[in-house]
Every structure is written in C-alpha cells, then in structure tokens.
Amino acid sequence: MEKEQTEIDILSLSCDELTREILAMGEKTFRAKQIYEWLHVKKISDFSQMSNISVQLRERLSKKFCIKSLKIKKRLVSDLDNTVKYLYGLPDGQAVETVLMEYKHGNSLCISTQVGCKMGCRFCASAIAGFVRNLEPSEMLLQIYETERDSGRQVDSIVLMGIGEPLDNFDNVMKFLSLLNSGGEGMSLRHISLSTCGIVERIYELAELRTGLTLSVSLHAATDEKRSAIMPVNRRYGLEELMTACREYFAKTGRRISFEYSLIEGVNDTEQSARELIELLGGMNCHVNLIPINEIRERDYKKSRYVESFRRRLTSAGINATVRRTLGADINAACGQLRRDEASDR
Ligand code: SAH
C-alpha cells in the first residue's frame, strides 16, 4: 500500500533532527540513537525489525514516519569488468540509474541526484526527456544501501555523476553528504567526487563549506563559442566566470579541480581545440579527465579517434591529463540510457 504523503521521510533526517522528533513524542534521546542505528547502520527497511524498541513505539513510529525504499527495476552485470548497472524505481514510480564500478583501489558508486536534468547538454541522454524532480537525501543514500545489499560489495567511494545536476539540488545533496559522513557509512568526504556543468554561484558556496570533496567540472570545450554550442549552461555562466570560480575553489580548499572533457569527433577533438584547452588551463593546478564520448541514439555525435593524441598534446604542454577507462561497455553504462530505454518500452 502507498504510504501517505504526510509521513516524515525518516531516512532524510539528520541524527539531531531525528532526536528532536523523538523527544517531541515523549521518548528519550537514547531511543533516537537506537533508531538512527537501525536505519543507517543495520539499514533495516521496516519498523517491525527494530527489535529493541517496544511494539507500541514501533507502531507510533510507523504512523508518523515512513522508511523509503527503492525497487530494482533492472540490473545489468558486465561480463567484461564486473560493472553493475541498476535502474532503481523510486517510491513515486520514477526511476534513476546507479552504477557500481570496480577499481584497484576499491568499489566506486556513481549515483543520480535528480530525476532528469534541466541543463540540456546536447550530448547527454539524461537531458533529452527534461527535468522531473529533485531526489531527496534518502533517495541518494538508498542508492548506496540498496546496491551494497544487492551486490554484497562494500562501496568505498562515491561519484555524483549519474542523472542530474548535483549543484541544482544543492541543499538535498549537502544533507545527503552529511548523512553519509555521520551515518553508518561514516564515509570521509575525501572519497566523494561531485561533478557539475558549472553553476558558478554554487561553486563559491561549496568552496565556503570546505567539505574536502573533489570537484569535477564538465568542461568539454575551451572557448565560449564551442562550449555554448554543446552546453547551454555556458550562455548563463561563461568560461571566464567559471574559471575564476574554479581558481577560487582551489584557493579556498586546496583541492585541485578535475576537468572532464568528453571527446567528440570534429567538435572538440582537433589540434586547435587542444591548443585552446592548453591556453585556458595553462599554469593551473588541475587534472583533465579525457573521456571518449558515449554515443547516444538521439544525437549523431561520434566518438573521437584522436583521444590518445589529444592527451599527448596536453601532457607535453605540462597539463596533467588521463584517459578514463571505459567500464561496462557491454551493458551500455552511459548515463541516462537505461531510464530512456525504459520510458520508451512503456
Ligand atoms: N550534471 C553533472 C553530473 C552528471 S553528468 C555534470 O554535468 O557534470 C556526468 C558527466 O558525464 C559529465 O561530465 C557529463 O558532461 C558527462 N556526459 C554526459 N553525457 C555524456 C556522453 N554521452 N558521453 C560522455 N560523457 C557524457
């Protein structure tokens, strides 16, 4: 049965917020701690599993709060590299994607932050159907909890690079990060990367918070003309403004920025484009992540054949650049594709 909207989403509450709610019900602080542990350490999905809480209180809790959960709508496992891609159904019937990737240093989980996206990047599958809604902090946490439960693998690091623009859902993403840090996962924010298309005022805000996370900026072109043609956000925040914010981020946090650059044949992969990128980033303490573009059905952008020579040009100009390993190639792990496929199957 669908839970009523009026119930409080208990997994989105911080320990302090939960404590205030529990005290207001006439209970003691230690009860709140017990409940928080059931939710975020033992990760139970129903109040009836809280065996050290009285039946009467469990009943009162289930009237006031709901414990959200995700449904696995699809699970694709790569035969090549153990990458697992999930399509998770949300309580309201929407769906998002989550990808578990295995690296030498541990398991990394790519999570979604919104259902759809407003940013409209031309090459991105998530942008095509537009924006539906923000994810709640609980819905971001559950992507981790459910993936760990289903795969039996521990998640060691998180990348906010799934569907959505994390800085366009700023408050919920920050709340999620603090739950991740203080809850059962106890994950240091040094193990988190947040990827943005470049919402400048939020980059400044993030710098002030000094969270320790790694900021990735989706650059994809080094002149305003080229960037605006593939990323509409560039018309709102041009490159000069964006680069000033990036330099400020580094100055405030001491964390170097990672720039993402997806190489598209004939669009941003020429020798001229490499020169423009060198000019833009020269002298900056940063890293460039080169990604062969994932071709999507709805657009005719093609993978560049010059990824390696582009990388060599950057490194010989003193710019730190690596080519991102393609994972899950056989299960089409490119973001947004699975959700799109499901929508068109209906
Ligand atoms: N909205 C955020 C995070 C989600 S997208 C952002 O823009 O950074 C994660 C990364 O994948 C971004 O760098 C994005 O530009 C890139 N991306 C999107 N579609 C892609 C595609 N078809 N091929 C390669 N990279 C893509």
Side-chain angles (χ1 to χ4, degrees):
M1 204 176 75
E2 284 293 310
K3 291 274 191 179
E4 279 177 39
Q5 287 291 304
T6 48
E7 290 167 348
I8 301 170
D9 168 13
I10 197 167
L11 280 171
S12 286
L13 299 181
S14 67
C15 195
D16 286 349
E17 286 167 337
L18 181 65
T19 306
R20 278 198 293 279
E21 293 287 346
I22 298 301
L23 289 177
M25 291 172 81
E27 297 290 332
K28 304 243 163 44
T29 306
F30 81 94
R31 284 275 175 239
K33 297 265 176 310
Q34 285 176 326
I35 296 167
Y36 194 79
E37 195 171 301
W38 279 113
L39 294 168
H40 296 285
V41 182
K42 300 190 184 107
K43 300 171 185 161
I44 51 96
S45 52
D46 198 285
F47 291 105
S48 65
Q49 295 165 287
M50 298 184 170
S51 56
N52 59 359
I53 309 279
S54 73
V55 175
Q56 196 200 14
L57 179 56
R58 283 189 239 158
E59 244 159 51
R60 290 176 65 212
L61 290 172
S62 66
K63 290 208 175 85
K64 186 165 177 158
F65 303 101
C66 63
I67 306 177
K68 289 197 175 186
S69 60
L70 304 182
K71 279 199 197 79
I72 300 177
K73 299 186 90 168
K74 272 189 194 161
R75 179 204 296 106
L76 301 178
V77 184
S78 166
D79 292 331
L80 303 173
D81 49 37
N82 275 338
T83 298
V84 189
K85 183 163 189 174
Y86 293 94
L87 181 71
Y88 281 125
L90 302 168
D92 65 351
Q94 294 293 338
V96 290
E97 290 170 32
T98 307
V99 187
L100 178 62
M101 294 161 290
E102 213 171 72
Y103 291 97
K104 273 201 210 83
H105 56 265
N107 295 315
S108 178
L109 194 68
C110 175
I111 74 163
S112 296
T113 55
Q114 296 181 314
V115 181
C117 187
K118 296 176 202 159
M119 301 301 138
C121 298
R122 297 286 303 154
F123 45 80
C124 178
S126 304
I128 291 165
F131 174 74
V132 179
R133 69 170 175 88
N134 283 327
L135 289 191
E136 297 297 327
S138 59
E139 294 170 323
M140 295 180 238
L141 270 180
L142 283 166
Q143 293 175 59
I144 308 169
Y145 294 0
E146 189 51 48
T147 302
E148 288 190 331
R149 189 166 21 226
D150 180 69
S151 66
R153 282 145 73 178
Q154 188 197 313
V155 170
D156 305 298
S157 61
I158 309 275
V159 292
L160 301 180
M161 286 190 190
I163 299 172
E165 167 51 49
L167 296 189
D168 185 45
N169 185 14
F170 194 82
D171 293 345
N172 286 350
V173 166
M174 291 307 127
K175 183 88 178 283
F176 156 70
L177 293 179
S178 83
L179 281 164
L180 192 59
N181 189 228
S182 63
E185 299 283 324
M187 190 181 282
S188 154
L189 296 190
R190 296 218 161 227
H191 296 136
I192 317 272
S193 294
L194 182 152
S195 178
T196 179
C197 62
I199 301 186
V200 163
E201 56 261 43
R202 296 303 199 183
I203 295 178
Y204 284 110
E205 228 173 299
L206 194 61
E208 287 301 329
L209 295 175
R210 293 184 178 79
T211 59
L213 56 72
T214 301
L215 184 64
S216 295
V217 173
S218 302
L219 199 56
H220 307 315
T223 66
D224 279 321
E225 196 192 347
K226 286 184 187 160
R227 193 163 187 267
S228 293
I230 52 174
M231 297 180 71
V233 69
N234 196 70
R235 293 182 210 135
R236 171 79 177 80
Y237 308 100
L239 276 172
E240 199 182 316
E241 214 184 330
L242 175 61
M243 295 312 291
T244 307
C246 290
R247 277 189 283 271
E248 177 74 11
Y249 186 88
F250 178 67
K252 276 254 155 70
T253 65
R255 307 280 291 156
R256 75 175 186 176
I257 294 199
S258 175
F259 289 101
E260 282 156 282
Y261 196 102
S262 299
L263 285 152
I264 315 172
E265 186 164 79
V267 174
N268 62 2
D269 68 339
T270 58
E271 199 183 328
Q272 170 70 12
S273 290
R275 272 198 300 273
E276 288 159 358
L277 187 58
I278 291 164
E279 187 167 333
L280 187 73
L281 301 182
M284 192 174 176
N285 192 345
C286 65
H287 177 258
V288 178
N289 223 328
L290 296 171
I291 312 154
I293 193 111
N294 264 306
E295 294 169 10
I296 60 171
R297 211 173 28 242
E298 293 84 351
R299 305 271 185 259
D300 58 6
Y301 293 124
K302 293 271 170 287
K303 260 191 181 88
S304 167
R305 285 170 290 157
Y306 306 113
V307 176
E308 196 42 46
S309 58
F310 200 92
R311 184 195 64 78
R312 275 198 305 273
R313 280 186 216 286
L314 298 185
T315 35
S316 54
I319 294 177
N320 210 303
T322 46
V323 176
R324 185 183 292 167
R325 195 156 65 94
T326 307
L327 289 174
D330 54 334
I331 55 167
N332 199 0
C335 253
Q337 302 266 63
L338 210 54
R339 180 169 166 260
R340 294 276 307 140
D341 291 350
E342 210 229 8
S344 53
D345 285 350
R346 272 192 207 141

